[in-house]
Amino acid sequence: MSATPAVKPAPSATHHALSRAEHDLMANAIRALAMDAVEQAKSGHPGLPMGAADIATVLFTQFMKFDPADPAWPDRDRFVLSAGHGSMLIYALLHLLGYEAMTIDQLKRFRQLGSITAGHPEHGHTPGVETTTGPLGQGLANAVGMAIAERHLSAVFGGELVDHTTYVLASDGDLMEGISHEAIALAGHLKLSKLIVLFDDNGISIDGPLSLADSVDQVKRFEAAGWATARIDGHDPAAIAAAIATAKTSDRPTLIACKTKIGFGAPTKAGTEKCHGSPLGGDEIKGARAALGWPHPPFEVPADIRAMWRDVSARGKSERQDWAKRIAALPSEKRSEFERRMRGDIARDKLAGAVHTVKQSLAAEPKEIATRVASENSLNTLTAAIPEMIGGSADLTGSNNTRAKGMTAFSAANPSGRFIHYGVREHGMAAAMNGMALHGGVIPYSGTFLVFSDYCRPSIRLAALMGQRVIHVMTHDSIGLGEDGPTHQPVEHLAALRAIPNLLVFRPCDTVETIECWELALKHKTGPSVLALTRQNLPQLRIGHDDHNASAAGAYEVVPADGGLAVVSIFASGSEVPIAIEARKFLRERGVHARVVSVPCMELFLALPEDDRADIVGGARVNVAVEAAVRQGWDAVIGSDGLFVGMSSFGASAPYKDLYKHFGITAERIADVALTKLQKS
Ligand SMILES: Cc1ncc(C[n+]2csc(CCOP(=O)(O)OP(=O)(O)O)c2C)c(N)n1
C-alpha cells in the first residue's frame, strides 16, 4: 500500500485569515459564553477560555479540518483540550461551530446533571470531545498516541485516506506534570511531525504566579526533546497563524508557547489566579463586557457572528465530501478493510480461527511454560491474524514477551512497524495507548511488570472511564518472580486494579486459559483489560481440545470432587491453581472431597446472574481462596467466613519456591486450614 506523500504544503494557513475586527468578534463570543456559563453554574473555570480564545479562534477558523455533521469522520484533525478545566472553551467552540447536540440550552446547563457540558470534557458523553481530560498532562500524552496512530495508518492505508494533524491546547499544569516529560520525549524521538502543541503560557496556576513553584524554560525543555519550537504573543492572530503554518511544515512535532493573559478582558481579575477557577461575579462580568466591546445579554450571540462561525464549518463539509469521494473510489477490499478497522470490529472468523489454532496445538502438545511465554505464543498467532494489533513494552520487551514474531519496530523511518519501544515510560505508554485507541484503527497492547501498574494507573482509570479497548500485559505478577524481591513483587495490585470499574483483570492459570483470556480481552471492545502473567513455569492443566471458552464465565470448576459431593471448594487464580489442585489431592488422602475452581477473571464472574454464580460457588461446607496477593476482593467469591491463603505483607528476595513456603502458600497449608475449619464446624 502507498506511503504518505513526502511533500508538505507551503507554509500558509489552510483557510483565509480574518480581519482583526472579525477575529475579535468571534473570539469574544467564546469569552462571553464562557463567563456567562460559569456564572450561571456558580462554578467552573473562566480564565482559560478567555485567555486562550484568540488561539482557539485562529486554529479553528484557519487550520482545523472537521465537519460538525460528522464528529467521528476518520480523517478529521484532532483537537485535544489537555487543560480540561477550561472545558467551556471547547463547549463554546462546539456550539458556535454548529455541533448539533451542543445547543445554547446545554451551555446554560453547564455542569448540571444530564447535560453534555460536564465540568471537564468527557469523551463519549459529548460529540466532538476527542478524549476525557481534567487530570492534567493526560490529554497531551493521549495526543502523542493519536499522532502515532495517524502516522501508522497513513503508512498502511496511504495519505489520501489518512492525513490529519493532532492539535493540543496545554496549560502550565499540563507541562508541570511528570507525564508530560515522558510524552514529549517519546513524541520527539518518534518525530511525530503532525503533532502541534499550543501552550497557553499564562504564568498562572491555582496558587498564584507560576514563579511560586516553577522556573522551567518549557521551550528549551521541548527543544531538548527534539521538538521544533516558537515563542509568540498568544493574543496576536497573525503571529498565531504564522506559527501554526510553520509548524505544519516541520519534520518534527512543534511546541508553540503562546504568551497569554488568563481571563483576558476581565478588568480586575485578568492576569491573576482569581479568574482561574471561580465565577467572575456580576460586576467583573459587566466590566469585561465593556472592555471587550460585547454589549449583548448573557448567552446571546448576534446572528452575524454566529454566521461567521458557521461559515468555518461549511468549509469542512466540502473537505469531508472530497475525502468520501476518495474512499468511495478505492477498490472495495481496501475500503472495507479501512472501514472495518475504524469501526473497531475484529474480523470474528480471524479471531476465532487464531484461538482455535492455538488451542489445537496445545491439545496436541501440552506445554509447561510461564503464562508470559504462553502469551507470546498466543500473540504470534493473534497478531498475524489481526493486523490492527500494535504491541509494545516499556523497555521490558524480553521479559514481557510482547513482541510477536515478525513485528518490526515502529519508528519515524518505519511507521508501518507494529511494535513500539516506549522506553522506560510506563505512564506515557499507557496514556499514548489511550490516544491510539481513541483515534481508532488500531488495538494497542503493551507490557510492563504488574508492580508498575501503579505507574500506569491514572491512564488505565481513564481508559476504563472512556470505555477504550487497550490491553496491558503485566508480567512478573506475584512473589513468584522471586529474587528481584519485594520492590518488584506485587501484593496489593490485583485488588487495586479490580477496584477500577469497567476494567477486566485476567490472571490465567495455564497456556489454555492464557489464549482464552487474550480472546476475551480482544472482544472487550468497551473497556481496558490487564493480563497478569507469571515469570515462572506452570503446568498445562487443561488437556484435550475444546473450542468453548471456559474463562468467559470468569470462574469455572477446573477439577471436580471425585467420589462424592465436595465438602471443600478451593478457589484460586493463576499460579495458585496448580497448588490448589495439589491441596485437593492431600485432602482426598485424608478422606475429604474437594473441588477446585479456577478464577481467571473476577469481574466476569461477578457480572454473572446470581444463579449462575451460586452454581459455580457451590455448596461446600468450607470455601478457601488462594492467591499470592492480599485478600481484598475475594470475599465476594468465598463469603466473609471463607478462608484465605495468600499474602498479608510485602514479599521478600529469594528463589520463588522458598518464598511460597515462607509465606505459607502451599498445598499442605491449604489442606490444613480447610481441615481445621471442618473439624471446628
Ligand atoms: C493531575 C492533576 N492535579 C491537579 C489538578 C487540579 N488543578 C486543576 S487546574 C490546576 C492548575 C491550574 O494551572 P494551569 O494549568 O496553568 O491552568 P490555568 O490557571 O492557566 O487555567 C490544578 C492544580 C488536576 N486537574 N489534575
Side-chain angles (χ1 to χ4, degrees):
M1 291 184 193
S2 61
T4 323
V7 183
K8 292 214 166 192
S12 65
T14 310
H15 302 300
H16 77 93
L18 305 160
S19 73
R20 180 69 208 227
E22 288 171 321
H23 168 92
D24 287 345
L25 287 171
M26 293 174 85
N28 286 339
I30 297 174
R31 293 186 171 105
L33 289 172
M35 61 185 181
D36 291 343
V38 172
E39 199 65 20
Q40 173 120 330
K42 300 191 184 65
S43 77
H45 301 76
L48 185 142
M50 295 176 79
D54 291 315
I55 303 169
T57 302
V58 172
L59 178 63
F60 276 81
T61 59
Q62 296 184 52
F63 295 95
M64 279 288 292
K65 181 170 76 168
F66 65 97
D67 181 1
D70 185 0
W73 169 30
D75 201 34
R76 70 194 181 279
D77 286 343
R78 307 307 197 259
F79 172 68
V80 174
L81 179 62
S82 193
H85 60 275
S87 57
M88 264 314 299
L89 177 72
I90 195 162
Y91 299 150
L93 281 165
L94 295 174
H95 172 70
L96 292 166
L97 290 165
Y99 282 75
E100 202 180 354
M102 191 56 76
T103 60
I104 195 75
D105 188 52
Q106 290 290 346
L107 299 190
K108 290 180 182 168
R109 293 175 51 229
F110 179 47
R111 295 182 151 231
Q112 306 309 305
L113 192 63
S115 76
I116 60 166
T117 45
H120 294 83
E122 292 179 31
H123 174 78
H125 186 71
T126 310
V129 168
E130 301 287 0
T131 179
T132 296
T133 53
L136 289 164
Q138 289 286 336
L140 171 63
N142 294 160
V144 173
M146 292 177 190
I148 290 173
E150 192 273 349
R151 188 84 188 83
H152 177 75
L153 291 169
S154 184
V156 172
F157 287 98
E160 70 277 15
L161 277 198
V162 184
D163 181 10
H164 49 265
T165 303
T166 303
Y167 295 98
V168 182
L169 188 82
S171 66
D172 296 302
D174 285 305
L175 301 193
M176 278 193 276
E177 288 291 350
I179 192 174
S180 75
H181 181 78
E182 300 181 19
I184 70 171
L186 186 61
H189 174 73
L190 294 173
K191 296 193 172 60
L192 300 174
S193 55
K194 288 188 189 161
L195 175 63
I196 299 177
V197 174
L198 298 145
F199 167 31
D200 182 33
D201 184 10
N202 64 23
I204 291 289
S205 65
I206 292 179
D207 280 3
L210 214 62
S211 56
L212 289 171
D214 196 62
S215 44
V216 171
D217 183 330
Q218 295 293 354
V219 168
K220 285 191 183 153
R221 184 167 77 110
F222 277 73
E223 275 171 4
W227 287 54
T229 59
R231 289 183 207 265
I232 60 161
D233 173 354
H235 297 300
D236 176 350
I240 299 165
I244 298 175
T246 303
K248 290 200 72 162
T249 66
S250 176
D251 60 353
R252 292 174 287 163
T254 299
L255 170 82
I256 305 171
C258 310
K259 260 278 169 257
T260 59
K261 190 176 239 193
I262 189 169
F264 183 94
T268 69
K269 296 184 176 175
T272 76
E273 69 278 13
K274 292 195 184 74
C275 63
H276 159 85
S278 39
L280 294 179
D283 288 348
E284 189 77 5
I285 289 182
K286 211 167 138 202
R289 282 192 143 71
L292 295 169
W294 188 267
H296 320 292
F299 296 107
E300 262 189 51
V301 179
D304 55 334
I305 301 175
R306 276 186 187 284
M308 285 156 65
W309 276 107
R310 294 296 169 93
D311 279 355
V312 176
S313 300
R315 290 195 300 253
K317 187 170 227 53
S318 63
E319 281 176 302
R320 181 169 66 87
Q321 285 165 346
D322 289 347
W323 180 88
K325 279 185 207 141
R326 289 199 297 277
I327 191 165
L330 290 175
S332 68
E333 207 175 297
K334 182 173 175 184
R335 186 178 67 229
S336 57
E337 175 64 1
F338 179 77
E339 288 172 346
R340 177 191 72 73
R341 285 183 62 163
M342 291 310 296
R343 278 196 312 273
D345 292 339
I346 297 174
R348 283 284 147 135
D349 53 331
K350 294 263 173 70
L351 176 56
V355 174
H356 177 80
T357 304
V358 174
K359 280 189 159 182
Q360 265 197 332
S361 84
L362 292 172
E365 201 184 326
K367 287 197 164 59
E368 178 157 344
I369 49 177
T371 49
R372 64 178 171 144
V373 179
S375 169
E376 180 181 358
N377 294 344
S378 301
L379 284 170
N380 284 338
T381 306
L382 289 169
T383 58
I386 305 168
E388 57 267 43
M389 289 177 75
I390 305 283
S393 170
D395 200 43
L396 289 167
T397 301
S399 301
N400 304 144
N401 303 57
T402 44
R403 185 168 183 160
K405 230 188 272 164
M407 271 190 167
T408 59
F410 173 89
S411 69
N414 183 35
S416 56
R418 290 170 59 195
F419 188 83
I420 301 178
H421 290 282
Y422 286 101
V424 192
R425 302 184 184 106
E426 295 83 7
H427 199 182
M429 171 176 77
M433 289 165 70
N434 290 356
M436 291 163 72
L438 286 160
H439 180 282
V442 294
I443 301 175
Y445 74 89
S446 75
T448 186
F449 290 155
L450 182 61
V451 79
F452 302 135
S453 61
D454 285 341
Y455 278 44
C456 307
R457 189 175 178 85
S459 303
I460 295 177
R461 178 177 191 271
L462 284 166
L465 177 61
M466 292 190 277
Q468 292 303 304
R469 175 174 47 193
V470 295
I471 303 174
H472 292 271
V473 172
M474 297 201 159
T475 66
H476 298 59
D477 71 346
S478 74
I479 54 167
L481 66 85
E483 294 84 345
D484 269 342
T487 56
H488 282 50
Q489 291 162 354
V491 288
E492 77 280 27
H493 298 73
L494 291 168
L497 289 168
R498 286 171 182 150
I500 297 178
N502 196 35
L503 169 67
L504 296 183
V505 182
F506 294 101
R507 192 164 184 255
C509 72
D510 73 350
T511 50
V512 177
E513 277 195 7
T514 303
I515 182 66
E516 289 184 344
C517 291
W518 260 112
E519 182 180 27
L520 295 166
L522 285 163
K523 282 184 173 172
H524 185 43
K525 198 177 166 184
T526 54
S529 300
V530 167
L531 278 92
L533 305 175
T534 65
R535 172 176 183 254
Q536 74 273 31
N537 286 348
L538 300 177
Q540 182 171 324
L541 301 175
R542 284 169 48 198
I543 309 292
H545 182 84
D546 187 356
D547 276 324
H548 170 67
N549 189 324
S551 303
Y556 65 96
E557 190 175 84
V558 62
V559 185
D562 63 0
L565 221 55
V567 182
V568 175
S569 285
I570 312 174
F571 301 83
S573 83
S575 43
E576 286 68 71
V577 177
I579 300 173
I581 293 173
E582 186 76 5
R584 171 185 170 279
K585 210 171 74 191
F586 287 147
L587 286 168
R588 194 181 51 190
E589 283 163 7
R590 295 184 213 177
V592 173
H593 298 301
R595 61 196 273 269
V596 176
V597 177
S598 177
V599 189
C601 182
M602 215 182 264
E603 296 75 27
L604 289 176
F605 168 71
L606 294 175
L608 292 177
E610 199 177 331
D611 287 354
D612 295 356
R613 273 200 324 263
D615 281 351
I616 293 167
V617 170
R621 276 167 59 199
V622 173
N623 285 342
V624 191
V626 192
E627 186 167 68
V630 298
R631 174 172 182 143
Q632 201 170 329
W634 276 98
D635 286 18
V637 180
I638 57 170
S640 55
D641 58 345
L643 302 170
F644 184 75
V645 174
M647 298 293 291
S648 53
S649 68
F650 293 114
S653 172
Y656 83 90
K657 287 186 179 159
D658 295 348
L659 290 174
Y660 272 85
K661 275 195 205 109
H662 177 74
F663 289 105
I665 307 175
T666 61
E668 294 86 341
R669 172 132 182 278
I670 297 165
D672 279 353
V673 296
L675 286 170
T676 307
K677 173 118 183 203
L678 274 176
Q679 280 154 13
K680 281 191 196 152
S681 65

